[in-house]
Amino acid sequence: MADVKALGDQLVELTVKEVNELAEYLKETHGIEPAAAAAVAVAAPAGGGEGGEAAEEKSEFDVVLKSPGGAKLAIVKLVKELTGLGLKEAKEIVDSAPKAIKEGVSKDEAEGLKKQLEEAGAEVELK
């Protein structure tokens, strides 16, 4: 039980940058995508000046489909592939544009998703 408490104490002391690095490590190494990473970062006390600086720099983005463009079927297939959703759910996202496709992703991942969707003919925005 002492190990669990020590680990909890270490997690609470992480900076926003460290939380994002931990989330990326868990995703790449173990296939775990922690949805609560942002909540931990918000709950963590700011560690001196660095915490404030990290909060100013945006590190999580939402990929928003503004319009599917002319190739709606191709966009539905691509959204299905990128999100891992079923065909029905992907179609609902495309039909209800503007709609967020993925939320709270890293800048690199968001830009990659945007590029793929735009190449297929969709209009995409990062927030």
Side-chain angles (χ1 to χ4, degrees):
M1 187 65 172
D3 290 338
V4 173
K5 288 181 180 180
L7 178 61
D9 291 340
Q10 288 177 329
L11 288 174
V12 171
E13 293 173 5
L14 292 176
T15 65
V16 173
K17 181 179 177 186
E18 291 169 332
V19 169
N20 288 328
E21 289 173 358
L22 175 60
E24 189 67 27
Y25 167 77
L26 290 172
K27 182 179 176 185
E28 289 178 2
T29 306
H30 300 288
I32 300 169
E33 193 162 349
V40 172
V42 171
E50 185 180 337
E53 292 170 14
E56 291 176 15
E57 182 181 328
K58 185 168 180 151
S59 61
E60 292 186 352
F61 295 84
D62 296 342
V63 180
V64 178
L65 176 68
K66 290 177 70 176
S67 166
K72 186 176 174 182
L73 182 59
I75 300 301
V76 170
K77 288 180 181 179
L78 186 56
V79 168
K80 178 183 178 288
E81 177 185 321
L82 294 174
T83 61
L85 295 172
L87 186 60
K88 180 181 177 184
E89 292 84 4
K91 183 180 182 305
E92 288 173 359
I93 287 176
V94 173
D95 286 343
S96 61
K99 181 85 173 174
I101 294 176
K102 281 201 169 185
E103 297 177 333
V105 296
S106 69
K107 183 177 182 178
D108 291 339
E109 183 179 355
E111 288 175 349
L113 293 170
K114 180 180 180 185
K115 181 180 177 186
Q116 287 180 316
L117 288 161
E118 286 179 341
E119 287 174 353
E123 187 178 337
V124 182
E125 177 182 42
L126 299 181
K127 289 188 174 184

